[in-house]
Amino acid sequence: MPAGKGHIKKQTFTQVLPKAGMLYTEESQSMVLCKPKIMPLKSVTLEKLEKMQKDAQEVMKLQENATPEMSDEQ
């Protein structure tokens, strides 16, 4: 048979079961790997603390900027 396109020879296998003796299968447990989980670089708590510090620094800068203006007016 020429090895051209569309010419595939199908083989069929016949199932053979023993007439005497024991029939068994072996199953082995293997490790199943899960997808890696993406962990955040910073925890939520750390982000909240950094935001609080940033807000506090902004408030301090506003207060420092407001204080000299009041002393100049007096």
Side-chain angles (χ1 to χ4, degrees):
M1 194 181 252
K5 57 182 175 178
H7 298 290
I8 298 173
K9 185 177 180 181
K10 292 186 178 182
Q11 279 186 322
T12 57
F13 295 99
T14 57
Q15 185 177 10
V16 178
L17 295 174
K19 304 239 185 240
M22 296 178 67
L23 179 65
Y24 68 94
T25 60
E26 290 184 24
E27 291 184 20
S28 62
Q29 293 181 354
S30 62
M31 292 177 34
V32 177
L33 300 176
C34 300
K35 290 183 179 179
K37 295 182 179 169
I38 299 174
M39 301 294 291
L41 296 176
K42 293 183 180 180
S43 67
V44 175
T45 308
L46 182 60
E47 288 179 357
K48 286 181 182 178
L49 285 172
E50 288 179 347
K51 184 180 183 301
M52 288 173 57
Q53 287 177 342
K54 185 179 176 184
D55 292 343
Q57 286 177 350
E58 288 178 4
V59 169
M60 290 293 290
K61 284 181 183 178
L62 289 174
Q63 288 177 353
E64 287 175 359
N65 290 340
T67 305
E69 291 174 3
M70 289 182 177
S71 61
D72 290 340
E73 292 175 3
Q74 294 175 352

